[in-house]
Amino acid sequence: MNVQFKKGVLELCVLVLTAKQDRYGYELVASISEKFHISEGTVYPLLRRLTQEGFFTTYLAESQEGPPRKYYQLTSRGRLYMNDLVLEWRIFNRGVNEIIEEGLGYDKA
Amino acid sequence: MTRREFMDELNALLSALPDKERLDILADYTEHFLLGMKQGKTEFEIAEGLGSPKLVARELLAGYRIDQAHSNASVGNMTRAIVATISLGFFNLVFVLGPFLGLIGILMGLYAMTAVLLVAPVGIFLDYGIPAPSQERLFLLFSSMVSVGLGGMFAIGLLRLTKWLYRQFLRYLQFNVKMIRGK
């Protein structure tokens, strides 16, 4: 997938994935890379930055098997920020889709 | 690349970070490796997915440097933040260094002008000496006062402008790190 498309969207993805439940890093990386190819290592710097900016808090939780996991929890600030981003994305997405429809629809007619 | 190789390289690249932060980052990647291996992936596959430790480290360093420049405003910290951001890619060389040098140029011009306003009266008195005809003396005194007054106001305004620009430029750096990411 075009690299230019992915820039900026990654942030929106991790925020939305944590909207309903707290997630740990591996989970976030895995669910995003299921949908499109990313350089997985850069998700962790992103998570750190979002935590520093106060959009996430983190806590460690022991798991039954395997190592303890660092969970990311969306703060109320993070939720507001996510809502803004989702809204921006929808407007952007609709605009691009309309342009595609008009462009390609015209071609077919 | 094995897990050991990946972690060693990352550790070495992050040596500029304080221990607490560095160890915390390494723990994130260790967790990632352990969970991946539990899913039945090999160390090589996981390292491959994570991408180059260099890229990861550059991004972490840029984030750290910008944070430092935020909490401790200084020329040195700003310089390190800029260098770290530029290291993220060629685009940043153009989009970070260009505007930065431009701003520095404008600021230096303004500072030079202020310095001239503040220092000019000294020159006037040195040139003419104090015992001048009374009318000329009054004019000189008056224009010196205007010059120093303006210079003082400019100086105060400039200091504020510099601080404000410092913060704005950091925000711009942050925006750059966010947008110009990954290969």
Side-chain angles (χ1 to χ4, degrees), chain A residues 3 7 11 24 26 29 38-42 44-46 48-49 52 65-70 72 81, chain B residues 21 24-25 28-29 31-32 34-36 38-39 41 49-51 55-56 59-60 178-179 181 183:
Chain A
V3 188
K7 290 170 187 164
E11 185 171 277
Y24 53 94
Y26 188 86
V29 174
I38 49 167
S39 191
E40 298 177 4
T42 56
Y44 292 96
L46 172 67
R48 283 191 90 68
R49 189 166 50 72
Q52 264 164 10
E65 354 74 64
R69 295 160 182 182
K70 190 199 260 181
Y72 293 85
Y81 182 57
Chain B
E21 187 137 357
D24 193 41
I25 291 167
D28 285 345
Y29 288 96
E31 184 188 311
H32 185 86
L34 292 178
L35 286 167
K38 257 180 59 72
Q39 304 272 311
K41 290 191 188 165
L50 284 175
L55 191 70
V56 172
E59 196 145 348
L60 285 160
K178 205 181 284 187
M179 294 315 288
R181 171 192 302 124
K183 293 272 147 66

Side-chain angles (χ1 to χ4, degrees), chain A residues 76-95:
Chain A
S76 51
R77 263 190 72 193
R79 198 166 287 276
L80 288 176
Y81 182 57
M82 178 196 73
N83 288 335
D84 282 351
L85 282 185
V86 169
L87 187 66
E88 273 177 40
W89 170 257
R90 290 210 162 119
I91 293 168
F92 177 71
N93 185 34
R94 198 180 58 209

Side-chain angles (χ1 to χ4, degrees), chain B residues 102-154:
Chain B
L103 278 180
I104 292 288
I106 293 169
L107 275 181
M108 274 170 59
L110 289 172
Y111 272 104
M113 194 180 74
T114 306
V116 167
L117 282 175
L118 285 172
V119 172
V122 179
I124 293 173
F125 281 110
L126 284 180
D127 260 12
Y128 287 81
I130 302 295
S134 66
Q135 207 160 3
E136 200 179 330
R137 202 196 292 178
L138 270 179
F139 173 73
L140 281 178
L141 191 64
F142 179 69
S143 51
S144 303
M145 277 163 60
V146 170
S147 178
V148 171
L150 273 178
M153 286 194 305
F154 276 26

